[in-house]
Amino acid sequence: MSIGGLKMALIGRIPGSVAGGALLVMVSTQALSLWLGLLVLFAVLVSILPFRIEPTPVRMGMAGFFSGLFGTSSSIGGPPMALLLQHQEANQLRGNLSAFFVFSSIISLVIQIPAGFFTLHHLWVTLPLLPASWFGYKLAMLTTHALPKEKIRLGALILCSLSGATAVWQALA
């Protein structure tokens, strides 16, 4: 899959991000965190069932929509795409997710501006995190080629589970 293969996911991301922005304004943070966390945990459970969900254009659009909904409203937009693409080769998975998140993060940020959830203050607070992002990228480039596909999949499932569990925990705390 390439950027062209991600087209449906990016198209789905736009209305999903708009819906996520609306949720930010209309739903309490606690309720949003609880429901989105539970949905992510449900998706992880579905992904460990003994069948594969192949990334068709319709499924890519749906995953893009839910990634936009989750990502814009709670910053956990990775699980829908990671779960759909989890059976790809490791290099292809990393490349597709990276390309998707470059564009989709911009979409979410643009939606959050009129909703009042992304301001210059947020930008200034984020800038010091850029060196850590660069370090993570460099570390990944040095280490991930040595990891087998199943280890990458397991890591994605663990990260998705942690994201969902953290969202539920925050809602209940």
Side-chain angles (χ1 to χ4, degrees):
M1 190 173 304
S2 63
I3 293 293
L6 293 173
K7 181 172 85 172
M8 291 306 296
L10 289 168
I11 290 170
R13 176 76 188 220
I14 295 168
S17 293
V18 170
L23 281 176
L24 282 172
V25 174
M26 300 183 334
V27 177
S28 75
T29 304
Q30 186 175 5
L32 188 62
S33 183
L34 177 63
W35 284 108
L36 292 176
L38 290 172
L39 285 171
V40 169
L41 291 173
F42 174 74
V44 170
L45 288 175
V46 168
S47 76
I48 60 176
L49 294 175
F51 61 88
R52 289 172 61 139
I53 300 174
E54 295 299 325
T56 65
V58 170
R59 290 179 184 144
M60 290 294 287
M62 290 172 52
F65 176 87
F66 285 107
S67 178
L69 180 73
F70 295 175
T72 303
S73 62
S74 67
S75 298
I76 53 171
M81 291 299 296
L83 295 173
L84 183 59
L85 300 176
Q86 67 182 316
H87 296 289
Q88 290 185 331
E89 291 300 320
N91 285 335
Q92 190 177 20
L93 175 64
R94 282 190 304 275
N96 285 329
L97 288 178
S98 296
F100 177 77
F101 287 119
V102 164
F103 295 109
S104 65
S105 296
I106 293 168
I107 293 168
S108 287
L109 292 174
V110 167
I111 296 296
Q112 288 180 348
I113 291 169
F117 286 88
F118 183 63
T119 65
L120 282 176
H121 168 75
H122 296 106
L123 181 63
W124 291 118
V125 169
T126 303
L127 288 177
L129 300 174
L130 290 177
S133 296
W134 178 83
F135 178 73
Y137 168 77
K138 287 297 188 183
L139 183 62
M141 294 302 291
L142 293 172
T143 59
T144 53
H145 68 280
L147 295 173
K149 179 179 155 184
E150 276 306 307
K151 297 264 188 212
I152 298 288
R153 179 176 182 267
L154 178 62
L157 290 173
I158 289 170
L159 285 174
C160 291
S161 297
L162 288 172
S163 293
T166 299
V168 169
W169 179 74
Q170 286 180 333
L172 298 176

